[in-house]
Amino acid sequence: MSKIDFRKKLVQYTLEKKQLTNVVARVGIVLDISGSMQTLYKNGTVQEVVERILAVASKFDDNGTLDVWVYDNEYSRLPSVTERDFGQYVDKHILNNDLIHKFGRNNEPPVMEDVIRKYTVEENDPTPVFIIFINDGGVVKSIKHTITHSAVQPIFWQFVGIGNSNFEVLKRLDTMEGRIVDNASFFHLDDIAAVSDENLYDQLLNEFPMWIKAAKEQRIIRP
């Protein structure tokens, strides 16, 4: 069994455990490419993260497609990735792509606005959107406005903090007021490469079911 097939089986197990087997969702990943992330890009960790998240998209999305963004103080929307073309994705589309701005400072709202634009303007569709947002610290406080503004949209933001930086802004996501539903969650991993696939999928999908239920009740997504 290939690694991607094994991971898909683990995702299926997690979906069954969390009663998400009947959920169809569009899946995207937003990758921090600020200066402090250089080592993780160059040692293959980010490529591995893309492959691990692709297994989630393969089970949730009808066409098995994972949408991809990278950002520092600028952002790029990259070609989507599938099981057919994930090999060397990071090298080909990011590290060896001179058009990608990389290893600057971080600024989250512009890339988040592009995510919202893609799923609510370009592809206006009530199908739930599950965004996995990888960040290694220093998130700007103005993301609170973007998250609050997008609470009426069919988008759930799952932030994953990696490393040992300051994640105070992200830690307060669950207690943010002024939203029709709680549309964002956060968990922290010191070393994402050391976390098992099973553990990663369990944490990634921990709060998504609660958002699905609340979003249906508020008719943000179809009941």
Side-chain angles (χ1 to χ4, degrees):
M1 183 183 295
S2 69
K3 187 178 285 188
I4 185 71
D5 286 334
F6 178 71
R7 284 173 169 158
K8 284 162 62 178
K9 283 188 174 294
L10 291 178
V11 173
Q12 180 64 28
Y13 169 75
T14 306
L15 296 178
E16 290 171 358
K17 183 169 64 172
K18 297 183 182 293
Q19 300 182 337
L20 288 169
T21 52
N22 294 323
V23 172
V24 175
R26 295 171 285 176
V27 183
I29 187 169
V30 179
L31 296 164
D32 184 346
I33 196 168
S34 58
S36 53
M37 289 285 292
Q38 273 197 69
T39 299
L40 297 182
Y41 275 89
K42 293 179 178 179
N43 69 10
T45 297
V46 175
Q47 172 68 31
E48 192 75 2
V49 167
V50 170
E51 294 181 19
R52 296 170 89 177
I53 303 306
L54 176 59
V56 177
S58 295
K59 299 302 294 185
F60 263 142
D61 194 307
D62 279 346
N63 58 10
T65 298
L66 176 64
D67 299 321
V68 184
W69 285 261
V70 293
Y71 81 97
D72 52 7
N73 48 295
E74 299 183 16
Y75 72 86
S76 296
R77 190 193 302 184
L78 302 181
S80 300
V81 61
T82 70
E83 291 181 48
R84 298 182 299 277
D85 55 15
F86 66 83
Q88 303 300 309
Y89 180 90
V90 168
D91 282 346
K92 178 180 178 182
H93 292 287
I94 303 175
L95 292 179
N96 297 331
N97 185 348
D98 292 337
L99 298 178
I100 302 297
H101 196 274
K102 50 182 84 77
F103 308 132
R105 58 180 175 79
N106 62 298
N107 183 27
E108 289 75 24
V111 69
M112 294 174 72
E113 292 293 344
D114 192 60
V115 170
I116 295 168
R117 184 162 48 247
K118 173 179 171 62
Y119 293 119
T120 66
V121 178
E122 298 171 20
E123 303 172 12
N124 189 7
D125 183 335
T127 303
V129 179
F130 183 44
I131 297 295
I132 296 152
F133 202 112
I134 307 293
N135 168 269
D136 77 339
V139 171
V140 298
K141 293 181 180 180
S142 54
I143 70 163
K144 294 178 180 179
H145 172 77
T146 309
I147 292 170
T148 301
H149 171 71
S150 66
V152 297
Q153 305 291 355
I155 300 172
F156 182 77
W157 305 91
Q158 178 59 68
F159 289 87
V160 182
I162 59 177
N164 53 12
S165 295
N166 184 338
F167 297 102
E168 287 308 310
V169 174
L170 295 178
K171 287 176 181 176
R172 293 194 289 269
L173 289 179
D174 282 337
T175 58
M176 280 174 50
E177 297 180 348
R179 294 175 293 167
I180 188 171
V181 294
D182 180 355
N183 62 332
S185 182
F186 167 75
F187 65 89
H188 173 230
L189 301 171
D190 285 326
D191 182 1
I192 194 168
V195 176
S196 70
D197 290 331
E198 189 170 3
N199 189 355
L200 178 64
Y201 297 144
D202 191 68
Q203 293 193 67
L204 281 175
L205 295 166
N206 192 42
E207 294 202 26
F208 188 53
M210 290 175 272
W211 174 80
I212 288 282
K213 182 176 184 295
K216 285 180 177 178
E217 290 173 352
Q218 297 294 335
R219 299 194 175 278
I220 295 169
I221 59 177
R222 292 192 185 106

